[in-house]
Amino acid sequence: MKLFVEPASHPLSGTIAIPGDKSIGHRALLFSLLSATPVRVLGLGDGADNGRSARAVTQLGGAIARDGAALVIRGSGLDAMRPPAAGIDCGNSGTTIRLLCGLVAGQRFATTLFGDESLSRRPMQRVIEPLAAMGAVITGSPAGEAARDVVPPLTIGPATGPLTAIDYTLPMASAQVKSAILLAGLYADGVTAVTEPGPTRDHSERMLAYLGAPLTTAGRRVAIDTRGWNRRLAGDGFEVPGDPSSAAFLIAAALLAGAREVRLPGICVNPTRTGFLDAIAAMGGSVEHAAPRDAGPEPVADLVVRGPAPGLRATEIAGDLAVRAIDELPVLAVIAARAHGTTTVRDAGELRVKESDRIATTCAMLRAFGVSCEPRPDGFVVEGRPDRPLAAARVASDGDHRIAMAAAIAGLVADGPSQIDDADNVATSYPGFAAALRQLGGAIRDAAG
Ligand code: S3P
């Protein structure tokens, strides 16, 4: 699929229902498998990645039925998961494969996990190492002669007894690895603890606690203590709020093109996910938070952008802020391309091991639009070009949904029509992206090929 984008000729306007948060959706599905009671999930997104987790749940013995707007998931409980008849295809989804590693590490059967070409290049040693320290048996494939890492396919288990509790300090800020260890900790005797170097998304902590897991958090340390626990998780349901990472593209569009009013109701504003909004505020962009409320364990708000494109200024994104904005850094780079001055992103080496090497692909994409973007080992440096439009471009996304969508936003402020090739991957997180941008008044269309 290709995306064709024209420069925006007027301010954007409208209300868009952003699909359910991808990270929360994965967890709603996978954690419901562990529930002793049926769980109603409202607002699950329609992205292919969440679909992979849904299929994994059914392969492991869960049943998923539609009931009006909700999905009802009948899980197996903690100890009656079924051995999958075949390997589980995790597609493009790093969260599916890494969370599943933790979920099946303590099972008495073996599970094979594999994925698409991009997932088959992604590092798994980070999850294998702590799970192996807990006694899990995991084998993967060597990542290539020079690399010391391990990539999918992975085979996990069978476990011969309870796992061993560990006290683990994560070498990198990764919510997926943290979550895998916590899930395995449900199958360990004693206190399994994870300390993280930065504030990664804490949906697993919130949602497992909501289901009654024996979980406590103290600063950067999360612990599961199974001593004396009745091994029962249960809950009525989850409401999956709008995905701030998908909303980020439309917010960027509204800020760069100007907006009469762009309103995105019910977006997750969990502080571990709002680095993007904080970076925008530091750049002089304004996003109003209206109607704040709670959706189960997650805080949500309506996000509203109004007014002409502001005069944005460059900023520095580093440390905890880089962790809290990690998935939004490609689109923040596009915003930086329209800001006065030089924006620096540091402490974001994790970008190298996302769906693509996002330091390389973000810089290549911006350069195609005539913007100077210098890669650094742990980030990049963008020279803003606020005084004249970007140069219209034809770009490839390198199979990465967030690069494709960021490029489409750049196309809105270019000096002519732009084309994004190889954009099928948008469906992994936000199949309705082009339609939503069109609904706001953006001239974007998709075409096969
Ligand atoms: C995710 C965690 C992050 C993020 C990814 C989703 C999650 O990855 O980039 O898109 O749902 O836990 P890491 O855990 O690799 O940091």
Side-chain angles (χ1 to χ4, degrees):
M1 196 248 280
K2 298 180 193 309
L3 293 173
F4 297 92
V5 192
E6 309 261 342
S9 53
H10 51 81
L12 303 182
S13 178
T15 298
I16 300 289
I18 296 284
D21 183 71
K22 181 157 76 75
S23 291
I24 296 173
H26 284 302
R27 288 159 173 81
L29 290 159
L30 296 172
F31 298 177
S32 295
L33 177 64
L34 303 178
S35 171
T37 55
V39 179
R40 284 176 72 81
V41 178
L42 258 177
L44 189 75
D46 54 354
D49 275 15
N50 277 175
R52 296 292 180 183
S53 286
R55 268 193 296 281
V57 165
T58 57
Q59 280 187 265
L60 289 165
I64 304 181
R66 188 160 278 291
D67 180 15
L71 289 182
V72 179
I73 298 156
R74 280 169 207 282
S76 53
L78 275 162
D79 298 314
M81 227 182 263
R82 205 175 57 205
I88 297 177
D89 185 350
C90 302
N92 193 245
S93 178
T95 308
T96 304
I97 198 166
R98 294 200 179 111
L99 265 58
L100 278 175
C101 285
L103 202 68
V104 300
Q107 306 300 326
R108 303 299 169 98
F109 53 79
T111 308
T112 298
L113 306 174
F114 64 98
D116 69 6
E117 202 190 315
S118 151
L119 193 66
S120 302
R121 285 195 303 263
R122 296 186 65 186
M124 296 295 147
Q125 187 59 31
R126 51 182 54 204
V127 70
I128 293 175
E129 185 186 301
L131 295 179
M134 297 177 79
V137 183
I138 309 189
T139 54
S141 316
E145 272 170 35
R148 291 214 312 275
D149 218 300
V150 173
V151 295
L154 305 175
T155 300
I156 302 145
T160 50
L163 298 176
T164 309
I166 54 168
D167 195 324
Y168 191 73
T169 299
L170 285 175
M172 77 293 289
S174 169
Q176 293 171 354
V177 180
K178 172 177 65 175
S179 302
I181 299 168
L182 295 175
L183 288 168
L186 297 171
Y187 293 89
D189 286 334
V191 183
T192 299
V194 190
T195 303
E196 57 181 356
T200 71
R201 61 199 68 195
D202 64 357
H203 308 304
S204 292
E205 294 91 307
R206 289 170 186 252
M207 296 170 74
L208 285 173
Y210 189 74
L211 292 176
L215 182 144
T216 50
T217 301
R220 294 274 158 88
R221 187 171 190 271
V222 193
I224 294 266
D225 183 355
T226 58
R227 291 170 303 180
W229 179 42
N230 64 2
R231 299 192 55 69
R232 183 182 154 86
L233 295 180
D236 299 336
F238 290 113
E239 182 188 333
V240 184
D243 193 329
S245 302
S246 300
F249 296 103
L250 301 188
I251 290 170
L255 284 173
L256 298 185
R260 269 209 306 284
E261 179 180 282
V262 168
R263 180 174 285 268
L264 311 174
I267 305 299
C268 177
V269 288
N270 175 325
T272 60
R273 298 292 299 282
T274 50
F276 169 73
L277 295 171
D278 294 344
I280 284 177
M283 298 175 89
S286 159
V287 180
E288 185 195 334
H289 286 47
R293 59 200 180 276
D294 285 331
E298 296 286 344
V300 302
D302 298 351
L303 300 183
V304 187
V305 182
R306 277 192 205 95
L312 297 167
R313 49 183 187 272
T315 190
E316 180 174 289
I317 300 170
D320 287 359
L321 182 60
V323 176
R324 294 173 50 247
I326 193 77
D327 287 344
E328 292 72 62
L329 292 175
V331 72
L332 274 169
V334 174
I335 297 175
R338 302 297 292 158
H340 286 274
T342 305
T343 292
T344 305
V345 174
R346 290 193 285 111
D347 305 324
E350 278 296 298
L351 287 177
R352 297 253 179 227
V353 289
K354 296 294 179 190
E355 287 83 328
S356 66
D357 173 348
R358 284 190 180 150
I359 292 179
T361 51
T362 297
C363 287
M365 182 265 294
L366 279 190
R367 284 175 176 176
F369 282 99
V371 177
S372 160
C373 183
E374 278 302 317
R376 296 276 187 267
D378 67 342
F380 47 79
V381 178
V382 181
E383 297 295 338
R385 177 179 160 144
D387 300 326
R388 60 203 163 112
L390 306 188
R394 178 172 180 178
V395 292
S397 69
D398 243 312
D400 187 326
H401 54 134
R402 299 204 196 279
I403 299 296
M405 290 187 276
I409 302 309
L412 291 177
V413 285
D415 57 7
S418 294
Q419 175 174 332
I420 297 110
D421 295 327
D422 175 26
D424 295 282
N425 50 65
V426 166
T428 64
S429 62
Y430 194 0
F433 165 71
L437 198 50
R438 222 169 17 246
Q439 196 181 321
L440 293 178
I444 178 168
R445 63 189 171 83
D446 41 28

